[in-house]
Amino acid sequence: MSENAAQCLSRMFYRISIAIEAGKDHLSDLDGAIGDADHGITMSLGFMAVNAELAKLDLDHMLPSEVFTAAASAFLDAVGASTGPLYATAFRRAAQALKQDERLSPSGQAAIIEAMTTGIRERGKGQRGDKTMLDAWIPATEAAVSAQARAAGSREMWNGILAAAEAGANSTRSMVAARGRAARLGERSLGHIDPGAASAVIILRAMKDTFADSAPGTISSSGTD
């Protein structure tokens, strides 16, 4: 039996959590150079809470938008610091986008990326070049929109999304931080990759591994179909 969309998203969040946990120390090391060295721990706690919450739910009878709404609440409850509201808002925006079309088609996947980026930008009031996670999320969105415009398949789209996010994250090494704790360092923040951009790449890679591995047409909107 093929999994429904809610189950696919649950698998996505599980992959994200495992990947963040594996990279936790590296993320905290990056944060230690320009921040308070807790980004890896914070992200790990947030996604562990999301998975714990999703494990309680009846995914057979849930819509994907409801999964993102549950993820938003769980992440925010676990992470009260700045990252918590940013990703909670991102997940809420993704839920809103999916209510227009609950299928996880390539266009729906692109809509998730675009909505999450919008949520992070709205909540954080940031922009590209500020040396934040948006330096990965904004290029990822542009790649997703471009892929949809040329009717690219899911795998091609996700390869482009991940490549754009990786390039964006790497570009933060040459940026002076304009927001967050790192902004207090001024030019001393040069030469360091932003930890938020690095964790965004981890998240997007796990999303790619989930969606690009799903054969087209096998993900139904809910278990009640």
Side-chain angles (χ1 to χ4, degrees):
M1 180 184 296
S2 63
E3 67 181 0
N4 67 28
Q7 292 163 340
C8 179
L9 289 181
S10 179
R11 180 163 57 91
M12 178 196 79
F13 277 115
Y14 178 76
R15 276 181 157 166
I16 292 172
S17 183
I18 293 298
I20 289 288
E21 182 67 21
K24 178 174 65 177
D25 291 343
H26 175 61
L27 292 174
S28 290
D29 287 344
L30 290 176
D31 196 27
I34 60 175
D36 50 11
D38 68 348
H39 184 68
I41 296 170
T42 297
M43 294 294 285
S44 177
L45 289 172
F47 282 106
M48 286 175 63
V50 169
N51 280 288
E53 179 62 24
L54 295 183
K56 303 174 188 176
L57 304 178
D58 182 5
L59 297 172
D60 287 341
H61 300 94
M62 287 187 70
L63 294 170
S65 60
E66 295 170 333
V67 173
F68 267 109
T69 298
S73 295
F75 199 98
L76 186 59
D77 286 345
V79 182
S82 60
T83 305
L86 290 172
Y87 273 106
T89 304
F91 297 154
R92 290 192 184 107
R93 292 292 181 273
Q96 291 170 0
L98 282 173
K99 286 178 182 178
Q100 307 303 314
D101 183 357
E102 296 280 359
R103 298 172 300 169
L104 294 181
S105 61
S107 62
Q109 296 163 28
I112 289 172
I113 298 297
E114 189 170 7
M116 287 181 64
T117 301
T118 297
I120 292 168
R121 188 186 302 199
E122 287 177 351
R123 183 72 189 200
K125 310 298 183 187
Q127 59 188 345
R128 177 185 257 162
D130 283 347
K131 197 182 179 88
T132 70
M133 64 180 70
L134 283 172
D135 289 300
W137 280 105
I138 290 174
T141 292
E142 291 173 348
V145 171
S146 174
Q148 284 302 292
R150 63 178 188 275
S154 181
R155 189 174 298 278
E156 179 185 346
M157 178 180 75
W158 279 102
N159 285 340
I161 288 170
L162 185 59
E166 289 174 336
N170 287 333
S171 74
T172 63
R173 192 188 298 273
S174 61
M175 295 176 187
V176 174
R179 293 190 173 273
R181 293 177 184 270
R184 296 178 300 184
L185 297 176
E187 292 194 357
R188 285 181 293 161
S189 64
L190 280 169
H192 302 284
I193 291 176
D194 178 71
S199 63
V201 170
I202 294 175
I203 292 168
L204 286 161
R205 183 178 294 113
M207 294 176 75
K208 170 186 175 292
D209 290 344
T210 302
F211 291 126
D213 287 348
S214 298
T218 63
I219 307 175
S220 60
S221 61
S222 76
T224 58
D225 286 356

